[in-house]
Amino acid sequence: MFAPHLAAFRIPTDRKQAALRIANLSGRLVLLSGDRALDVERASDGRFESDPQSVYARWDELTRWAADQDASLGSAFEARDLGPAVPRPPQVFAIGLNYASHAGESGLSVPENPMVFTKFVSSFAGAETEVELTGSTVDWEVELVAVIAAGGRDIAEDDAWSHVAGLTVGQDISDRTVQFWGDPAQFSLGKSLRGFAPIGPAVVTLDEIDAVADRDDLAIGCTLTRADGTTELLQSGRTRDMIFSVPSLIARLSALVELLPGDVIFTGTPDGVGLGRNPRVYLEAGQTVTSEIEALGSIRQHFVAKA
Ligand code: ZN
């Protein structure tokens, strides 16, 4: 069984093709290699700007340039200085009930079409953060997040991976009380409270993933660390169990709306969330959730009481 590591980020250091880890270090676009970060604006003499969001509009140009860079020559960095890998996506799609196991534990039926809500961009946060609990029903959902490079409409499923810049780790943190306000409930607000959309540590390109894993079948999970240091594996799944795969989601979304460079898709969570337990379990102050996906790394959120 896959057990997420509680240790720090594990970032492979040994490859230097167009296989990239792209991140946001204190608001600046960087390439990561191991514990080093190369500042893209400085290394490119200003050819690329420092804004980590603008890179997706020039994705092919950036990846061609970056293939000749050696990010291990960059500077040491602290994980807590990593901002959201994609800081201001023009559109954020989040998919509900995309694993049959999670639909089952939620007492809801498997959807015929993707169930889509958004996480408003003001909730985006970095890889290692402190999150204020907004109430007594705050829950975890580890998710694979796909980042769009070239956008478009009516993207064929067969061609969909070519529109993906890379993948990253996300937590779809949810205030279940706010999420289920109203009938029918509108999920987006309850999933967009401050710091409720941490993503990172980096956007990992498909070449980099393919070198070590299967992009369609990544181990995904998260672990709780309590204030007393005890730990519990909360979620453990495989992305192959998604009802709508990344290419299927891109095809279905782009059949209805235009995808834009730098958009992100939170692709849903496997089973093991607090809402699905009997009795239900939610996050408490002093607890930390570490979320990890194979080949992508991990993010860590520490939960504190409301000020
Ligand atoms: Zn979710």
Side-chain angles (χ1 to χ4, degrees):
M1 188 168 72
F2 171 70
H5 285 246
L6 294 172
F9 307 100
R10 295 171 303 128
I11 297 171
T13 55
D14 53 345
R15 280 183 308 283
K16 180 186 170 268
Q17 300 88 36
L20 302 174
R21 289 174 178 261
I22 289 171
N24 167 1
L25 185 63
S26 302
R28 295 184 64 86
L29 180 67
V30 293
L31 307 179
L32 298 187
S33 176
D35 61 354
R36 301 276 148 173
L38 185 74
D39 187 281
V40 171
E41 186 203 25
R42 291 185 195 121
S44 71
D45 289 325
R47 177 172 162 194
F48 298 100
E49 59 182 297
S50 64
D51 175 12
Q53 187 64 51
S54 66
V55 63
Y56 299 99
R58 297 171 67 189
W59 184 250
D60 290 344
E61 194 184 347
L62 177 95
T63 53
R64 276 196 303 274
W65 170 82
D68 295 326
Q69 304 302 312
D70 184 356
S72 67
L73 300 177
S75 309
F77 69 95
E78 302 279 349
R80 64 172 178 271
D81 293 329
L82 291 172
V86 187
R88 298 181 318 280
Q91 302 180 102
V92 180
F93 303 93
I95 312 302
L97 308 177
N98 200 23
Y99 291 75
S101 56
H102 173 58
E105 72 176 353
S106 304
L108 299 163
S109 48
V110 171
E112 230 171 277
N113 293 296
M115 201 275 269
V116 181
F117 56 91
T118 195
K119 290 175 82 70
F120 294 110
V121 76
S122 56
S123 63
F124 275 53
E128 194 165 293
T129 56
E130 202 163 82
V131 183
E132 201 172 90
L133 291 168
T134 52
S136 57
T137 59
V138 175
D139 205 347
W140 57 86
E141 295 188 0
V142 62
E143 304 203 3
L144 178 73
V145 175
V147 184
I148 300 297
R153 292 185 184 272
D154 298 316
I155 297 167
E157 188 168 335
D158 285 351
D159 185 39
W161 276 120
S162 73
H163 289 258
V164 175
L167 303 174
T168 192
V169 183
Q171 253 294 340
D172 177 17
I173 302 171
S174 308
D175 182 317
R176 299 300 189 195
T177 302
V178 180
Q179 179 185 346
F180 290 107
W181 274 350
D183 183 16
Q186 304 291 309
F187 287 7
S188 302
L189 276 183
K191 288 165 168 283
S192 297
L193 302 175
R194 187 196 296 254
F196 274 28
I199 61 168
V203 176
V204 182
T205 60
L206 301 175
D207 290 357
E208 173 110 0
I209 296 164
D210 293 345
V212 294
D214 176 351
R215 64 171 82 160
D216 292 299
D217 182 19
L218 301 172
I220 178 170
C222 65
T223 302
L224 181 76
T225 305
R226 298 188 188 81
D228 66 4
T230 58
T231 63
E232 178 186 345
L233 183 63
L234 297 173
Q235 293 182 273
S236 177
R238 311 269 333 171
T239 62
R240 66 163 181 254
D241 293 328
M242 291 195 295
I243 296 165
F244 302 103
S245 64
V246 171
S248 171
L249 289 171
I250 289 171
R252 286 164 178 267
L253 290 169
S254 70
L256 297 168
V257 298
E258 182 178 0
L259 298 184
L260 303 172
D263 280 354
V264 303
I265 306 170
F266 280 72
T267 59
T269 199
D271 63 330
V273 304
L275 175 72
R277 297 178 179 217
N278 187 12
R280 291 174 176 173
V281 177
Y282 295 112
L283 291 165
E284 296 173 13
Q287 296 182 333
T288 299
V289 174
T290 303
S291 308
E292 180 170 10
I293 299 178
E294 180 182 10
L296 305 183
S298 62
I299 60 174
R300 184 161 42 203
Q301 276 54 57
H302 182 65
F303 292 86
V304 298
K306 195 168 184 171

